[in-house]
């Protein structure tokens, strides 16, 4: 009897971590987020698309920066879920790249941006923006 209880306890303990790691789609970051006060070259809009398939989360992100006469589009890029729950995406352009870390807080999306000039002629910069759900 003790052996049966021990085996059942071990089975339940081994199943607990998989239940705690389950993620439901869409993610809280899913949707369209805007920053209407963006200055040139700042993030003005972020679109997040998430779906779950076979117990895996698939996320893609499209970002826009404020440009004249219309915003510049970075295109859809595959993103990754970090262990701290944030979504991370690397946007690679011809002259510069941006690494974004996204985290939703209700109707606000916290976007931490690291800008890197690809030829390293300028130092990298870091900014954080709070976008609103559209």
């Amino acid at each position: 009897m003790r052996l049966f209880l021990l085996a059942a306890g071990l089975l339940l303990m081994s199943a607990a971590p998989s239940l705690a790691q389950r993620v439901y789609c869409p993610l809280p970051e899913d949707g369209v987020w805007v920053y209407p006060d963006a200055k040139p070259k700042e993030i003005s809009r972020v679109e997040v698309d998430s779906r779950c398939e076979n117990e895996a989360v698939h996320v893609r992100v499209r970002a826009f920066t404020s440009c004249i006469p219309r915003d510049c589009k970075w295109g859809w890029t595959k993103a990754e879920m970090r262990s701290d729950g944030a979504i991370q995406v690397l946007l690679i352009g011809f002259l510069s790249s941006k690494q974004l870390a996204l985290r939703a807080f209700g109707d606000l999306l916290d976007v931490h941006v690291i800008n890197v000039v690809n030829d390293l002629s300028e130092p990298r910069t870091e900014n954080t923006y709070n976008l609103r759900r559209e």
Side-chain angles (χ1 to χ4, degrees):
M1 181 68 170
R2 287 185 196 183
L3 185 60
F4 175 74
L5 290 175
L6 180 62
L10 289 175
L11 180 64
L12 288 174
M13 287 176 32
S14 66
S18 65
L19 294 174
Q21 294 173 357
R22 184 172 177 101
V23 177
Y24 295 94
C25 287
L27 297 175
E29 292 83 2
D30 196 274
V32 177
W33 305 84
V34 295
Y35 182 57
D37 300 327
K39 295 178 178 80
K41 297 185 180 181
E42 291 184 341
I43 297 293
S44 60
R45 178 183 178 104
V46 173
E47 298 175 2
V48 179
D49 179 44
S50 64
R51 63 183 170 78
C52 291
E53 188 175 289
N54 298 327
E55 298 297 321
V57 179
H58 301 278
V59 183
R60 64 183 189 147
V61 174
R62 180 164 64 170
F64 297 78
T65 53
S66 180
C67 295
I68 298 172
R70 63 180 174 267
D71 287 355
C72 299
K73 188 178 353 179
W74 285 81
W76 288 105
T77 305
K78 183 180 177 182
E80 298 176 355
M81 296 290 297
R82 293 191 331 199
S83 61
D84 65 357
I87 296 173
Q88 182 171 307
V89 63
L90 177 62
L91 306 173
I92 301 173
F94 183 70
L95 299 175
S96 66
S97 300
K98 295 182 181 302
Q99 180 177 324
L100 277 60
L102 315 171
R103 180 170 290 162
F105 297 98
D107 283 337
L108 288 178
L109 182 71
D110 183 65
V111 181
H112 182 78
V113 181
I114 300 173
N115 297 297
V116 178
V117 176
N118 290 344
D119 66 1
L120 302 177
S121 62
E122 297 177 25
R124 79 180 203 170
T125 59
E126 293 187 41
N127 297 305
T128 302
Y129 305 98
N130 289 308
L131 282 67
R132 292 189 326 243
R133 188 179 295 276
E134 187 173 70

